[in-house]
């Protein structure tokens, strides 16, 4: 647009300020990380990829399915949207360098909501030295956030889902079950530990543990977004192996255990099948030694007969809903 | 998911096959370009960034705003979604290496629609040697496609919007006005040149002209998505200059001119303000010589007084709607 309008005061809707107003008021005010060579405002961003490769992952968050505006603030939604993408980069062994963010929003969305979302995205990205380097905004009936994370392996080999071998130790870093607990409390409108609500609204993935696991020789790794059993199933599928977990090996917080008891829930159900904590799960050679912060919880075993489950707990299938499918629930 | 189900036959909806079914049936069947080191199916893709930098751009397309299922096939929507992102990479002087694609779709979307969309994205990307290397699928009331393009400058300096200098020649490569003509024909349910309908459904940006302009010393460049006048306004803003166009300099196809006459439209309105052709506009030093395929249509001039328009036609403001704002229309 060639005309320039005076800066409005107070809160406006996106429909009032328009696309270019949003870009100028939000995108360009964000401080940029060291990897961003060209930031928002041009046809594309330019990001450093120091070792000649770039790790890239994209996720969509839809209002009513991945967040609710009455349960989470815009700032919390921003932190969560960034966190799940940063965790994907960490799960390859990388460090995020930049985010690109698409916002599809109804015209009546308050400008303040978009600004708070942007602040949440920026603060989460800043935890690893990254920033929001570009994006797009469009009008839409449905409020949706599309986040793409770019990252740098800094010379490390990528850790995929396909390298686990029988005999490897299965371990995780970060938290398990807290997000599921928070969701259950919100659904029941019940009281419980503040940590559960906080983690459901904004998980805190252990970003630094991704590169740490890669350096320690991890053979396979992923970020736990669909629940530990479902996600270890992906490693088992891709690696042509199976996994057996030891239910006694999980360090379970007393507050989580007590809340489960009060709600009549099996606490291991939250730990084994709860999604969205964005902990990391990885397999390590038996002789590798786990980096600090990782808990060994099982073993990689040989692939069983065709109909047998690929992930077992004490040798048996876990009797519960296994993970989350975005179209069926 | 650890269980494997038999391959269904016939058409299914996304709700029936689920997220993992979609990933397995669509994403993993796509052939990958040479820059893709790790493709779909892991936490993130890994893409070559040969000169240590990656160009990255993201765009959202919303049903009813950017495409209509009764006007465009899924294949055409896929080609268009890819084209507008590939054009952003070209407009920096780069070549696209990979796309990441997010699909937010109602559960009743036919699997065949998603497959055709994927084929359109893949075919357009293949024009420059790129491929769909990753993505995400989620359920949503609104059908939305989020495309992120990654690209490689191959050692060239990026061409931003900020380098135009008074005296530069303003030129464009590609087509102007055809998409606007096609949209007008569709809105009026009128007959007209096939090319107009085709270009509105799937533009054909001149991808190779981006790096060609960069090599020829272009001082500023962008892809024309909001209309030539509006987009040159961005260059004028960012470069601290103004632009004056010569209306006689535009090579206008006789079929376009004739269709405009029949509809009672000023053909230059389509050419100067029509969006979505994804031609490239650039400024070149007066002594640089334009690469083949570029048409000189104006000059960069000194920045005028504060209230004067930044982009003029024969020294005067163009009297028409200038461009497209995604929230106001």
């Amino acid at each position: 647009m060639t005309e320039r309008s005076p800066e409005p005061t107070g809160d406006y809707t996106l429909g009032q300020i328009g696309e270019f107003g949003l870009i100028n008021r939000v995108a360009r005010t964000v401080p940029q990380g060291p990897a961003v060579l060209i930031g928002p405002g041009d046809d594309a961003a330019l990001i450093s990829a120091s070792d000649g490769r770039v790790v890239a992952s994209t996720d969509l968050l839809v209002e009513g399915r991945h967040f609710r505006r009455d349960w989470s603030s815009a700032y919390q939604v921003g932190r969560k949207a960034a966190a799940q993408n940063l965790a994907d980069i960490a799960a390859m062994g990388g460090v995020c360098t930049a985010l690109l963010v698409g916002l599809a929003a109804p015209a009546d969305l308050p400008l303040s909501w978009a600004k708070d979302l942007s602040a949440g995205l920026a603060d989460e990205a800043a935890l690893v030295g990254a920033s929001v380097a570009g994006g797009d905004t469009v009008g839409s009936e449905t409020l949706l956030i599309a986040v793409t994370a770019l990252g740098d392996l800094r010379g490390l080999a990528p850790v995929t889902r396909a390298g686990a071998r029988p005999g490897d130790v299965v371990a995780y870093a970060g938290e398990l079950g807290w997000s599921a607990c928070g969701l259950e409390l919100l659904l029941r409108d019940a009281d419980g530990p503040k940590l559960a609500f906080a983690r459901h609204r904004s998980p805190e993935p252990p970003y630094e543990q991704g590169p740490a696991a890669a350096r320690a020789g991890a053979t396979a790794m992923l970020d736990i977004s669909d629940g530990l059993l479902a996600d270890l199933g992906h490693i088992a599928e891709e690696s042509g192996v199976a996994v057996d977990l030891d239910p006694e090996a999980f360090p379970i917080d007393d507050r989580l255990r007590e809340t489960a008891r009060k709600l009549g829930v099996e606490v291991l159900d939250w730990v084994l099948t709860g999604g969205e904590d964005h902990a990391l799960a990885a397999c390590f050679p038996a002789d590798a030694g786990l980096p600090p912060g990782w808990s060994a919880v099982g073993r990689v075993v040989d692939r069983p007969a065709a109909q047998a489950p690929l992930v077992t707990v004490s040798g048996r299938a876990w009797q519960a809903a296994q993970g989350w499918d975005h179209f069926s629930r």
Side-chain angles (χ1 to χ4, degrees), chain A:
Chain A
M1 304 275 90
T2 51
E3 63 272 45
R4 279 150 287 178
S5 41
E7 180 71 19
T9 52
D11 204 359
Y12 285 74
T13 66
L14 295 198
Q16 287 170 317
I17 64 161
E19 180 190 9
F20 296 99
L22 183 66
I23 290 169
N24 285 326
R25 283 181 189 74
V26 179
R28 294 195 174 195
T29 63
V30 175
Q32 293 297 327
V36 178
L37 307 174
I38 297 176
D42 222 298
D43 289 273
L46 186 66
I47 314 295
S48 169
S50 67
D51 72 1
R53 302 167 299 174
V54 61
V55 188
S57 174
T58 198
D59 268 320
L60 305 180
L61 287 88
V62 178
E63 181 176 30
R65 294 175 191 251
H66 303 97
F67 65 89
R68 284 174 53 164
R69 274 190 269 174
D70 56 338
W71 282 2
S72 297
S73 69
Y75 180 81
Q76 289 165 334
V77 173
R79 291 203 73 137
K80 184 173 186 168
Q84 68 183 55
N85 280 276
L86 295 174
D88 281 328
I89 301 300
M92 299 298 285
V95 178
C96 182
T97 49
L99 300 179
L100 303 178
V101 179
L103 175 64
D108 65 359
L109 189 81
L111 174 59
S112 59
W113 202 92
K115 280 183 169 172
D116 290 347
L117 175 77
S118 175
L121 287 158
D123 284 356
E124 191 71 21
L127 293 176
V128 297
S131 55
V132 179
D136 189 24
T137 57
V138 300
S140 163
E141 301 300 308
T142 304
L143 178 60
L144 179 149
I145 303 150
V147 181
T148 299
L150 305 179
D152 193 334
L153 287 169
R154 297 181 180 174
L156 291 170
V159 184
T160 71
R161 301 174 173 191
R165 294 161 304 184
D168 284 354
V169 172
V170 176
Y172 79 94
E175 296 168 321
L176 289 176
W178 281 106
S179 179
C181 173
L183 177 61
E184 192 77 39
L185 290 167
L186 285 165
L187 286 171
R188 298 194 191 191
D189 200 15
D191 201 20
K194 277 184 188 167
L195 191 64
F197 296 104
R199 286 299 178 273
H200 179 70
R201 290 176 174 128
S202 298
E204 296 197 2
Y207 302 123
E208 74 290 354
Q209 295 294 354
R215 284 191 299 270
T219 57
M221 179 158 56
L222 44 55
D223 115 272
I224 303 168
S225 54
D226 296 323
L228 181 65
L229 294 181
D231 284 317
L232 288 177
H234 299 318
I235 284 184
E237 270 293 347
E238 299 296 322
S239 299
V241 297
V243 166
D244 186 46
L245 298 177
D246 173 5
E248 306 298 320
F250 288 85
I252 296 177
D253 189 287
D254 284 341
R255 292 165 297 172
L256 191 69
R257 196 183 294 279
E258 177 62 14
T259 307
R261 195 191 57 73
K262 280 186 187 162
L263 297 180
V265 170
E266 165 59 61
V267 68
L268 265 179
D269 237 24
W270 284 342
V271 169
L272 296 176
T273 70
E276 302 203 318
D277 284 294
H278 297 285
L280 297 176
C283 304
F284 295 88
D287 57 1
L290 301 185
W294 288 81
S295 301
V297 293
R299 283 277 175 182
V300 177
V301 296
D302 285 321
R303 189 70 164 262
Q307 295 308 314
L310 294 183
V311 181
T312 52
V313 180
S314 294
R316 287 197 298 273
W318 184 253
Q319 298 300 326
Q322 293 206 1
W324 172 277
D325 188 303
H326 292 286
F327 286 105
S328 67
R329 192 163 154 178

